[in-house]
Amino acid sequence: MRFSLSKLNPSTRFYFHENGNKTENWVELRLASDDDNKRFFNSIGVKEKVTNVFNPKTRQMDRQTFFDTNDSQRDQFNEEVWDFSITDWNLLSDENDEDGEPTTIPCNKENKIKFMRGSPLFATWIANCLENLRESLAGAGEAETKNF
């Protein structure tokens, strides 16, 4: 595996399958890092909070950080994450252009939010793809630690 300083968090392409067949529809996704999530929270005005919690195993206080949000802030956060995570797509519309070809739906923040909020099929597909991406990254890390 090679790493790149110019592309620390590259996107991965996932194709949509219908009836077991790969379609022309695809999406490119990436996972948000901890720094990205902090930036999203800060951009919507949520500050990081710190609390100390007793750990019964060590009998010491552990420091925990969290972001305390309301519903509106969670919605804004989700929109920022969707816009960041979905980097590109090729989604064909059921409407045709003047040549009779299916039109491509533009990949912009407005359409990302519209699909994630309004299409359970799309939102489930994206959630499954992100889970697959998380598992593949975790698997790569686990495979490396087993070599020692």
Side-chain angles (χ1 to χ4, degrees):
M1 173 182 223
R2 293 184 180 247
F3 293 95
S4 171
L5 287 173
S6 62
K7 286 198 162 205
L8 294 173
N9 191 2
S11 299
T12 302
R13 184 173 289 185
F14 294 90
Y15 284 89
F16 186 78
H17 290 79
E18 194 169 40
N19 299 324
N21 299 318
K22 185 166 98 172
T23 66
E24 295 180 60
N25 294 314
W26 52 262
V27 65
E28 290 184 352
L29 301 172
R30 63 182 171 180
L31 296 173
S33 68
D34 289 342
D35 285 342
D36 294 324
N37 285 323
K38 285 181 184 179
R39 186 169 35 87
F40 301 149
F41 277 121
N42 289 333
S43 73
I44 60 173
V46 178
K47 302 294 182 211
E48 189 173 18
K49 296 186 179 184
V50 178
T51 186
N52 292 315
V53 177
F54 179 73
N55 183 337
K57 290 182 180 178
T58 63
R59 301 185 70 167
Q60 294 180 352
M61 298 298 282
D62 289 343
R63 182 177 183 212
Q64 292 184 345
T65 59
F66 63 96
F67 293 93
D68 189 20
T69 60
N70 59 34
D71 289 341
S72 172
Q73 290 168 326
R74 271 191 293 280
D75 287 343
Q76 287 178 303
F77 175 77
N78 286 338
E79 291 174 2
E80 292 298 321
V81 170
W82 297 334
D83 188 41
F84 176 84
S85 295
I86 302 171
T87 58
D88 197 10
W89 68 34
N90 182 57
L91 297 179
L92 300 178
S93 173
D94 56 0
E95 301 168 3
N96 295 334
D97 61 13
E98 53 275 349
D99 296 329
E101 297 293 320
T103 57
T104 302
I105 299 169
C107 182
N108 56 40
K109 186 174 183 177
E110 178 185 346
N111 286 340
K112 293 173 190 179
I113 293 168
K114 189 179 289 187
F115 272 106
M116 290 300 289
R117 289 204 190 285
S119 173
L121 175 65
F122 183 82
T124 301
W125 177 43
I126 296 300
N128 289 338
C129 292
L130 287 171
E131 185 61 31
N132 288 340
L133 186 55
R134 272 187 211 92
E135 288 173 0
S136 68
L137 291 176
E142 289 172 9
E144 292 302 317
T145 58
K146 290 180 183 178
N147 289 333
F148 291 106

